[in-house]
Amino acid sequence: MITLFNRKELAVTFDMNEQARVRALLAEKGIDYIVKTVNCLSASPFSAGSRVRTGTYGQNTDMMIEYVIYVKRADYEKATELIRE
């Protein structure tokens, strides 16, 4: 089980195809992983209502979702070698 204390960040991408490729490689080799998605266009407490006022005008929608992939610290070296190939 991957927890906050035994995980390490493997990859960060905005590309859905890239995160799918990394996930497929990890799953193929039996390496556990967690994917955290961050909606970069969602409102934050510091800019409450800003998205409501402006919508997505002028923002690159390709950079809307950030994918952060974590693996166990023990699997990190194996996982980095795997995704580099």
Side-chain angles (χ1 to χ4, degrees):
M1 183 166 109
I2 299 175
T3 67
L4 181 64
F5 302 107
N6 73 351
R7 72 183 186 186
K8 190 163 183 177
E9 184 179 287
L10 176 67
V12 178
T13 184
F14 287 94
D15 184 0
M16 182 186 296
N17 294 325
E18 176 63 14
Q19 68 88 22
R21 181 189 76 83
V22 170
R23 290 176 52 213
L25 287 170
L26 294 173
E28 181 180 304
K29 296 296 180 179
I31 299 174
D32 289 337
Y33 63 89
I34 291 177
V35 178
K36 176 183 170 188
T37 57
V38 179
N39 184 346
C40 297
L41 296 181
S42 66
S44 75
F46 304 109
S47 63
S50 64
R51 191 167 135 219
V52 175
R53 287 193 307 268
T54 61
T56 57
Y57 177 75
Q59 297 181 356
N60 185 353
T61 55
D62 292 336
M63 305 293 279
M64 183 169 41
I65 306 284
E66 177 183 51
Y67 303 95
V68 184
I69 303 171
Y70 296 98
V71 294
K72 290 181 185 176
R73 286 184 190 276
D75 294 333
Y76 180 77
E77 294 298 324
K78 182 179 176 183
T80 55
E81 289 176 18
L82 184 64
I83 64 172
R84 284 185 192 164
E85 295 176 355

